[in-house]
Amino acid sequence: MTEFTILTVCTGNICRSPLAEQLLRAGMAHWSEVSVASAGSGALVGKPMTDQAQALSSRFGATDAAAHIARALTVEHVRAADLILALSREHRRAIVELLPRASRKTFTLRELARLIADVPAEELEHAARLDSSDVAGRFAELVDVAASRRGLVAPPESPDDDDVIDPYRQPDGVYEASAQQLVPAVQTVLAQFARVAAVTLP
């Protein structure tokens, strides 16, 4: 069985990227082929998630926030991942600087959600031709589709709209605002992965 690996990346790996990691893992739990991990470009190595981030993780359906331990991003993490979701454009740049050839599989979380939210059925034909049991292959096809839609899908009104704001050391309201950007993007990504897993030829 081929595995499909997702890596989420922020700065400290104690707020945004573990929250995205845990929500993606919870939403993909029924696909045993999928693994999700996170790391930080300036990680507070060994630290747990902040209390506010843990509370958000639990509120939105994850169950493993308390077990999180921050780790530093390495080129090996980037090389091994099939999809890398940065929480801001700054993190995306840091990832591609580590491994330039990773650019095609690296997006900000909100960028990926924007690119795949309304993929026409005909663009999923290659995925539909794969056996329905080849979940990893179908997911890889969706990543390729997303990469091919760069420059074709209308950009956001502001470049900042592809970022999730950093709530670290900020009031609870900033954590809420950050979650309001992160959670809908995760939900869109989950919905489109579910769609491509089930797609069939017309």
Side-chain angles (χ1 to χ4, degrees):
M1 180 177 64
T2 304
E3 187 174 79
F4 185 85
T5 301
I6 301 172
L7 177 69
T8 65
V9 178
C10 69
T11 304
N13 193 218
I14 59 171
C15 298
R16 292 169 290 175
S17 60
L19 177 58
E21 170 196 6
Q22 290 153 20
L23 298 184
L24 286 165
R25 184 185 297 118
M28 295 182 159
H30 51 291
W31 290 307
S32 59
E33 303 92 334
V34 178
S35 67
V36 191
S38 67
S41 59
L44 298 173
V45 176
K47 297 292 186 183
M49 289 176 78
T50 63
D51 292 343
Q52 298 97 321
Q54 286 195 44
L56 288 167
S57 181
S58 298
R59 190 207 306 174
F60 289 106
T63 59
D64 53 350
H68 177 75
I69 299 173
R71 65 175 188 163
L73 179 68
T74 68
V75 69
E76 288 77 17
H77 297 148
V78 175
R79 189 177 290 116
D82 298 296
L83 170 63
I84 306 167
L85 297 175
L87 274 296
S88 75
R89 290 162 294 148
E90 174 189 351
H91 303 126
R92 186 180 63 195
R93 283 192 295 271
I95 292 159
V96 174
E97 285 173 4
L98 272 179
L99 190 68
R101 70 172 181 268
S103 60
R104 190 169 174 83
K105 63 180 181 180
T106 303
F107 308 81
T108 75
L109 172 64
R110 295 180 78 190
E111 175 194 16
L112 181 66
R114 174 171 56 81
L115 291 172
I116 65 174
D118 58 354
V119 175
E122 57 267 23
E123 292 189 34
L124 298 178
E125 183 176 338
H126 286 297
R129 291 185 184 280
L130 296 175
D131 191 281
S132 60
S133 65
D134 187 5
V135 172
R138 286 179 170 228
F139 286 0
E141 287 288 342
L142 184 59
V143 174
D144 285 344
V145 167
S148 71
R149 288 169 66 80
R150 283 178 166 146
L152 300 177
V153 175
E157 289 186 11
S158 166
D160 292 344
D161 290 340
D162 273 345
D163 298 344
V164 173
I165 59 173
D166 186 359
Y168 182 53
R169 290 181 171 170
Q170 298 296 315
D172 289 354
V174 180
Y175 274 89
E176 291 290 339
S178 183
Q180 287 168 15
Q181 296 174 338
L182 186 154
V183 174
V186 167
Q187 291 171 338
T188 296
V189 170
L190 288 172
Q192 295 308 312
F193 274 118
R195 177 188 175 201
V196 77
V199 70
T200 58
L201 289 170

